[in-house]
């Protein structure tokens, strides 16, 4: 995964909801904050994804880039 200028893990979805969702699941497995660029693309295919991910994993999800 690329990193941001503050050395946080980051993923770039390039507008592909499948990449954004996969990155979110992977990010739920790490202790550090992960930035997912283009995560808004998930809303087109699975609007409740972030809420379901939080419910299933306990990971926090915040609107981002």
């Amino acid at each position: 995964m690329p990193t941001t200028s503050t050395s946080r893990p980051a993923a770039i979805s390039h507008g592909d909801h499948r990449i954004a969702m996969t990155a979110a699941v992977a990010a739920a497995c790490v202790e550090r904050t992960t930035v997912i660029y283009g995560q808004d693309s998930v809303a087109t295919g699975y609007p409740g994804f972030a809420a379901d991910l939080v419910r299933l994993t306990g990971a926090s999800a915040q609107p981002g880039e």
Side-chain angles (χ1 to χ4, degrees), residues 7-64:
S7 297
R8 292 184 296 176
I12 303 169
S13 73
H14 300 286
D16 187 328
H17 69 283
R18 298 164 298 182
I19 294 171
M21 292 169 66
T22 301
V25 171
C29 299
V30 298
E31 302 268 333
R32 297 173 61 193
T33 300
T34 303
V35 177
I36 302 171
Y37 296 99
Q39 56 82 28
D40 55 333
S41 64
V42 174
T44 59
Y46 189 162
F49 176 76
D52 286 348
L53 185 64
V54 169
R55 184 174 53 80
L56 292 169
T57 67
S60 63
Q62 299 175 355

